[in-house]
Amino acid sequence: MIYDALIIGGGLVGAAMAVALKQQQRRVALLEIRPPAADTAKLEQGWDARIYAISPANRAFLQSLQAWPSESRIQAVCRMDVRGDNGGRIEFDAEAIHAERLTSIAENRWLLAALWQQIRALDIPVFTEAAAAIATEIDSATLTLDNGETLKTKLIVGADGAGSWVRGQADIRVKEDAYGHHGVVANFHTEKSHGGTAYQWFKNGEVLAYLPLPGNKISMVWSTAEPEKLTLLPPEALAHAVTEQGGGILGKLSPLSPAFAFNLILRRPETTVAQRIMLIGDAAHTIHPLAGQGVNLGFGDVIEFAALSRGTPDLGAHQLLKRYMQNRLEPVRTMQLACDGLFRLFGNQSLPALPWLRNNGLNLVNAAAPLKHQMIKHAMGL
Ligand SMILES: Cc1cc2nc3c(=O)[nH]c(=O)nc-3n(C[C@H](O)[C@H](O)[C@H](O)COP(=O)(O)OP(=O)(O)OC[C@H]3O[C@@H](n4cnc5c(N)ncnc54)[C@H](O)[C@@H]3O)c2cc1C
């Protein structure tokens, strides 16, 4: 038996790839060392602090996979309100572009559960043994597992996250630029209604976002060089600090989940394909979360490959992989550059003219409706 594709890593992006290819009647298998539990009863308890803003294009894609979570756990974002550090402000409104919403906030564990339900429903074989080695030839690849079992496939998909083992096996070097910041995330109850608005502040080189959750709840992401000043605080003191940093815009916040921090690193592998191997998701790129586009880029990889490969007999053919790499280069680089540029523009505290420039820049774009609408449509994947 030879698989059409063997996907290594069943996070959101690898799981979406498995379901998308299976829908095209491909012989796919998934290797995931930590598969999520099939029992969904625990999902209802609490709110996941790891949340994503899923673009309308990717929401439609997940719906087409029948892997979109219950709307009761989804918050539609109808407005975005972004504020600079010196009076600059830009607002985006769904109504202004005749859209029902700008983006949808969804929890990691609900998205993952919806995708894994499909993996089980479609009987996609799942291996949980660790991988030991990859060997590739012109027309196939072989994956050897720790227990000595071997799996033969036309294509190996590395969807195994930022520290990708597959990437290492393929000898693909990766350029890593640490931001010197961590993202601190936690959820809170709000005193006032957020009205479906997402807020973001650029202040003193730090970036704080309030992302609305259903009811009077938000998830915050705070990009900071000093994560301990937040993670070591008792819950009430953290809620107070987050209230203050957001200027009390939603009234007093109270704690809903513990805070945790993750290191922010820009990663750019020298290539995303090799003989019979391709990389997707965080294995292929990571970015600063200030635009909430990390996982959206990963779903974009899957959509592109699923479209390109439709009807082709050999999923690992050199020309197909090359086209995938070329077609993803521009959208990924553009997003990486945009997020990186914004972070550095607001992070630079030393050039005296910069605060004036960046805040007036925000106000100028805010006043230029066509440009603003174009920007938001691009982020929405429209
Ligand atoms: C702690 C943390 C918090 C984050 N919070 C946010 C956030 O709030 N907002 C946001 O936009 N982005 C966030 N991100 C980034 C976001 O999670 C990623 O962009 C997105 O999850 C990428 O999905 P992925 O499927 O490519 O990789 P991952 O989600 O990393 O999934 C990789 C999968 O591969 C499996 N795996 C790894 N190695 C192997 C192996 N050798 N064999 C088999 N399986 C393997 C892992 O178990 C995992 O399931 C966060 C990232 C981290 C690490």
Side-chain angles (χ1 to χ4, degrees):
M1 151 88 172
I2 176 159
Y3 290 106
D4 290 316
L6 192 51
I7 297 150
I8 303 187
L12 292 180
V13 179
M17 182 71 135
V19 176
L21 293 180
K22 183 71 183 183
Q23 270 190 349
Q24 296 183 9
Q25 316 304 325
R26 304 289 189 175
R27 284 161 304 181
V28 289
L30 188 59
L31 189 81
E32 169 54 62
I33 42 183
R34 285 181 291 272
D39 170 21
T40 52
K42 280 202 189 127
L43 285 176
E44 297 284 352
Q45 294 165 13
W47 289 81
D48 201 339
R50 197 166 163 180
I51 60 114
Y52 305 104
I54 305 291
S55 71
N58 287 333
R59 172 169 167 253
F61 165 63
L62 291 172
Q63 283 170 333
S64 78
L65 301 184
Q66 293 175 289
W68 185 244
S70 153
E71 280 289 332
S72 66
R73 302 294 295 203
I74 304 290
Q75 173 66 50
V77 177
C78 304
R79 239 184 101 241
M80 286 184 194
D81 183 341
V82 182
R83 299 174 188 213
D85 51 357
N86 198 10
R89 185 168 178 188
I90 186 164
E91 287 171 280
F92 300 101
D93 211 311
E95 248 180 56
I97 53 163
H98 312 292
E100 173 244 344
R101 62 180 77 183
L102 296 173
T103 188
S104 302
I105 304 294
E107 296 156 275
N108 180 63
R109 65 172 186 231
W110 278 80
L111 286 168
L112 204 54
L115 281 163
W116 273 79
Q117 242 164 25
Q118 279 300 84
I119 285 168
R120 290 172 182 125
L122 295 170
D123 275 333
I124 296 175
V126 176
F127 297 88
T128 55
E129 191 75 23
I134 291 174
T136 66
E137 291 164 43
I138 290 284
D139 61 352
S140 67
T142 306
L143 178 77
T144 306
L145 302 180
D146 254 2
N147 62 5
E149 193 181 346
T150 56
L151 305 169
K152 216 167 165 68
T153 181
K154 288 287 188 187
L155 171 69
I156 287 184
V157 181
D160 50 348
S164 179
W165 172 83
V166 176
R167 198 175 59 214
Q169 288 288 303
D171 256 339
I172 297 175
R173 278 174 306 179
V174 57
K175 192 167 180 318
E176 295 196 345
D177 293 301
Y179 282 105
H181 269 210
H182 277 68
V184 178
V185 295
N187 296 341
F188 300 93
H189 279 292
T190 64
E191 197 181 1
K192 297 184 192 165
S193 164
H194 50 61
T197 300
Y199 294 92
Q200 191 162 43
W201 294 266
F202 291 86
K203 267 189 190 172
N204 308 323
E206 305 197 327
V207 194
L208 172 69
Y210 284 4
L211 302 166
L213 293 173
N216 274 15
K217 293 187 275 303
I218 56 157
S219 181
M220 74 97 184
V221 189
W222 191 332
S223 164
T224 171
E226 300 169 293
E228 306 80 21
K229 79 175 178 190
L230 301 171
T231 51
L232 295 181
L233 287 176
E236 287 294 343
L238 174 68
H240 181 70
V242 178
T243 307
E244 291 283 297
Q245 187 80 353
I249 205 153
L250 297 177
K252 186 173 179 288
L253 304 180
S254 36
L256 186 60
S257 79
F260 73 92
F262 58 100
N263 201 1
L264 301 180
I265 300 173
L266 174 69
R267 289 189 188 82
R268 285 167 293 185
E270 59 187 353
T271 174
T272 51
V273 299
Q275 180 170 269
R276 298 278 153 194
I277 293 175
M278 69 184 285
L279 304 176
I280 60 172
D282 275 17
H285 40 70
T286 59
I287 60 171
H288 193 285
L290 64 82
Q293 292 294 330
V295 81
N296 283 306
L297 276 183
F299 288 139
D301 297 343
V302 178
I303 293 172
E304 181 66 33
F305 187 72
L308 278 178
S309 63
R310 192 176 288 275
T312 57
D314 180 359
L315 285 189
H318 174 71
Q319 281 306 325
L320 175 61
L321 297 188
K322 210 169 123 194
R323 278 189 67 197
Y324 159 77
M325 183 192 72
Q326 285 167 344
N327 290 6
R328 289 306 289 154
L329 199 61
E330 198 245 80
V332 170
R333 284 288 146 87
T334 306
M335 194 55 77
Q336 283 181 322
L337 276 174
C339 294
D340 196 54
L342 212 50
F343 175 77
R344 292 188 198 288
L345 182 65
F346 279 92
N348 191 321
Q349 303 295 305
S350 53
L351 285 177
L354 266 187
W356 181 88
L357 194 66
R358 61 200 177 207
N359 286 282
N360 280 291
L362 281 187
N363 290 335
L364 267 176
V365 176
N366 200 35
L371 172 63
K372 195 166 87 162
H373 296 166
Q374 199 50 43
M375 278 168 68
I376 196 68
K377 282 185 179 165
H378 184 73
M380 289 166 77
L382 300 176

